[in-house]
Amino acid sequence: MFAPSRRPARALAALAKSPGSSATRAPGRCPARRTRVCWSDRLAAAYHALPEQQRARLLVGLGVSHADFVDRYHRPRTALSSYLDELDAAAPPLPSSARIIGAHGPQMTRLGAARSVGVHPYLVDVTHTARARSDLGSRPLLAVEQTVILHTDPDSARAQARSVLAPYLALANYRGAWLRVGFTDEDLADGGSDQLVDALFIHGSPDEVAAQLTKQQRAGADHIALQIATADRYLFPRTTWRDLAAALF
């Protein structure tokens, strides 16, 4: 589940109001020095308020923001590790088996291996996937996101990919991840080089896309979360999904 806000507990709480659920509250376990609302307690409580059948199907994704978006920015691994401590201390806790970490760097990836079911990296190439598998070891879950564009004209597909990529090119965390796997500052300039775009996005016909997805699996991905990019970001591409599904299954 992706909660597009700073309050993931509210998103889970909304799910918990579904028929058949019973609300629970956890006592505050945040450090006493804090005066802010204890969102870790609320998140854990909202998770446990869900019916058991829903909890069995849910992984709570946890990650850090970007220095560009927040007033006070802390080292990502330190900040997330502290938040996981709070989730562990909640009563009842949000179990590590119900958590997955949004990670790009090796330290965050190893944190995900140690304190959740694994990691869910976004906008990464197969080289990153292979390195993440090495950092994780064989058992933790590696669930990569892969954006695809069902367009057979490379120039048109790349133009659409660049419109998706544009907001991320200015973010230090993403830039660092791409530089670590061998891309250069020149690759990240002017909307992204063709080499960068072709590594991060898969484009082509449904059959071509299906064939390319196997590269992520061979690199070590256990699960691939597909995102289809279209010219209209607010339009659900039902026909495109069906075309791709026919090639995949």
Side-chain angles (χ1 to χ4, degrees):
M1 183 190 75
F2 168 66
S5 73
R6 297 183 181 180
R7 299 290 183 259
R10 288 178 180 169
L12 269 184
L15 286 177
K17 293 178 181 178
S18 61
S21 65
S22 58
T24 60
R25 297 188 59 142
R29 292 296 187 89
C30 287
R33 68 179 181 276
R34 298 189 181 178
T35 57
R36 64 173 174 80
V37 174
C38 189
W39 290 108
S40 52
D41 266 4
R42 290 196 175 189
L43 178 61
Y47 170 80
H48 286 284
L50 292 171
E52 183 178 359
Q53 186 177 15
Q54 291 186 23
R55 292 200 305 272
R57 300 176 59 245
L58 175 67
L59 278 178
V60 179
L62 301 167
V64 297
S65 185
H66 300 272
D68 310 69
F69 301 152
V70 295
D71 296 330
R72 294 179 299 170
Y73 189 73
H74 305 285
R75 298 178 69 88
R77 188 190 182 285
T78 301
L80 186 56
S81 182
S82 296
Y83 191 72
L84 294 173
D85 289 342
E86 293 179 12
L87 292 175
D88 288 341
L94 180 63
S96 60
S97 60
R99 309 187 302 220
I100 189 167
I101 303 301
H104 285 98
Q107 291 189 50
M108 289 284 279
T109 298
R110 287 190 283 269
L111 180 67
R115 304 193 61 182
S116 76
V117 298
V119 298
H120 178 39
Y122 182 79
L123 271 179
V124 296
D125 69 343
V126 293
T127 300
H128 181 282
T129 299
R131 292 188 181 185
R133 174 50 67 198
S134 177
D135 289 333
L136 285 170
S138 60
R139 294 181 64 86
L141 177 68
L142 177 52
V144 301
E145 178 276 343
Q146 179 66 64
T147 303
V148 303
I149 299 168
L150 293 189
H151 207 306
T152 56
D153 177 67
D155 290 336
S156 297
R158 288 176 183 135
Q160 195 163 305
R162 287 186 172 96
S163 70
V164 176
L165 183 61
Y168 301 96
L169 286 171
L171 300 178
N173 291 353
Y174 282 98
R175 293 177 66 89
W178 297 325
L179 293 172
R180 276 194 298 272
V181 297
F183 293 106
T184 66
D185 288 324
E186 288 73 22
D187 286 314
L188 308 187
D190 301 321
S193 67
D194 285 354
Q195 181 183 4
L196 177 69
V197 170
D198 290 347
L200 300 180
F201 298 84
I202 297 176
H203 52 83
S205 69
D207 287 335
E208 289 170 333
V209 168
Q212 289 293 314
L213 286 171
T214 62
K215 293 182 179 180
Q216 286 283 17
Q217 292 176 310
R218 290 198 297 268
D222 299 301
H223 176 84
I224 303 172
L226 293 179
Q227 177 182 188
I228 294 180
T230 62
D232 185 351
R233 61 180 296 186
Y234 298 105
L235 177 68
F236 180 72
R238 187 186 305 275
T239 300
T240 308
W241 273 113
R242 287 175 172 169
D243 292 342
L244 182 56
L248 290 172
F249 305 108

